[in-house]
Amino acid sequence: NAGVMQNPRHLVRRRGQEARLRCSPMKGHSHVYWYRQLPEEGLKFMVYLQKENIIDESGMPKERFSAEFPKEGPSILRIQQVVRGDSAAYFCASSPGASSFYEQYFGPGTRLTVT
Amino acid sequence: AQSVTQLDSQVPVFEEAPVELRCNYSSSVSVYLFWYVQYPNQGLQLLLKYLSGSTLVKGINGFEAEFNKSQTSFHLRKPSVHISDTAEYFCAVSDRGGTASKLTFGTGTRLQVTL
């Protein structure tokens, strides 16, 4: 049973370009969470999605960031016009349900470097 | 709002010595508590979780943690560490109930085990 898949593992973008990060949840999981880890910091919640629905985006920056989880295919975190401060590790997690006590399974992360 | 404080950013310890990693939390509602481990350039792996019941929770790799409601703490312990335990450890909380299942993380404690 494959775990949470994220690609690419490493992504380099120049300032002003767009970054697309993909996350395929574990089989049978319909809930996806995105977290960002800045250097020397813990993970910060960004957004929580179910298939075709954004449930909680309270951690998403107001501009340039968007997320989707279509009916078919992976969840996508999109960052437009990247800036140096977007350089971070972005982790996706999935769970089988919405309740707090369901364990969130984390992917290996995408490390974004903005030059 | 919730917050998690991990007082020690780094903990050096010799192999086979005991270790305690401290975690305190603040929340206006009841929470579930988690400890995750992150090895270099990898995603997070769940070590253990407290949902209810016994306040002493045993996890993988010989780790255990004790929930202390009066002190709002959830310290992680291991009686004898191994070189392979060298990693970053994160304490996290989430709300009980509802759909507010996002995790709030501490800033992490780097455990460095040496011979």
Side-chain angles (χ1 to χ4, degrees):
Chain A
N1 186 12
V4 178
M5 310 277 284
Q6 288 189 251
N7 66 81
R9 293 292 306 275
H10 300 274
L11 181 63
V12 179
R13 285 286 178 266
R14 291 199 180 99
R15 279 178 295 171
Q17 291 185 318
E18 178 180 288
R20 280 187 180 235
L21 289 62
R22 294 175 184 77
C23 169
S24 297
M26 286 183 68
K27 187 176 180 181
H29 288 191
S30 58
H31 299 257
V32 165
Y33 311 80
W34 285 94
Y35 294 86
R36 177 166 65 174
Q37 184 179 32
L38 294 169
E40 306 302 320
E41 293 187 18
L43 281 73
K44 302 280 191 210
F45 169 78
M46 299 181 75
V47 62
Y48 161 37
L49 310 104
Q50 295 179 30
K51 289 280 188 182
E52 300 184 282
N53 282 305
I54 296 175
I55 306 303
D56 181 355
E57 57 181 346
S58 58
M60 287 279 270
K62 295 289 184 240
E63 298 177 347
R64 302 187 297 108
F65 285 73
S66 62
E68 63 177 10
F69 189 14
K71 187 176 180 181
E72 300 290 338
S75 174
I76 306 286
L77 179 67
R78 183 182 177 205
I79 311 172
Q80 295 178 291
Q81 298 175 320
V82 296
V83 300
R84 288 238 171 96
D86 296 332
S87 294
Y90 292 81
F91 290 95
C92 166
S94 72
S95 77
S99 179
S100 315
F101 64 81
Y102 286 125
E103 178 181 344
Q104 292 184 23
Y105 293 81
F106 283 79
T110 294
R111 279 153 183 83
L112 172 66
T113 301
V114 179
T115 61
Chain B
Q2 301 165 331
S3 67
V4 178
T5 301
Q6 292 183 247
L7 294 167
D8 306 302
S9 59
Q10 293 189 54
V11 173
V13 63
F14 290 113
E15 192 175 36
E16 298 183 5
V19 71
E20 178 180 84
L21 306 183
R22 296 181 291 170
C23 172
N24 289 87
Y25 69 93
S26 173
S27 177
S28 57
V29 298
S30 296
V31 297
Y32 295 120
L33 295 151
F34 307 83
W35 273 99
Y36 283 85
V37 60
Q38 183 182 32
Y39 298 102
N41 298 316
Q42 294 187 28
L44 275 70
Q45 179 183 5
L46 183 70
L47 273 178
L48 48 79
K49 60 188 175 190
Y50 173 76
L51 304 181
S52 64
S54 172
T55 57
L56 182 63
V57 179
K58 293 191 183 297
I60 62 171
N61 301 340
F63 284 93
E64 62 182 33
E66 186 155 20
F67 170 54
N68 187 319
K69 188 175 182 180
S70 63
Q71 296 185 5
T72 60
S73 68
F74 191 53
H75 300 333
L76 181 70
R77 301 186 184 100
K78 186 169 182 177
S80 176
V81 295
H82 190 267
I83 288 283
S84 60
D85 292 323
T86 295
E88 189 91 20
Y89 291 80
F90 292 97
C91 181
V93 302
S94 69
D95 279 342
R96 287 178 177 266
T99 58
S101 54
K102 63 188 178 187
L103 293 168
T104 299
F105 286 89
T107 51
T109 297
R110 189 178 305 274
L111 177 63
Q112 181 69 49
V113 182
T114 55
L115 294 172

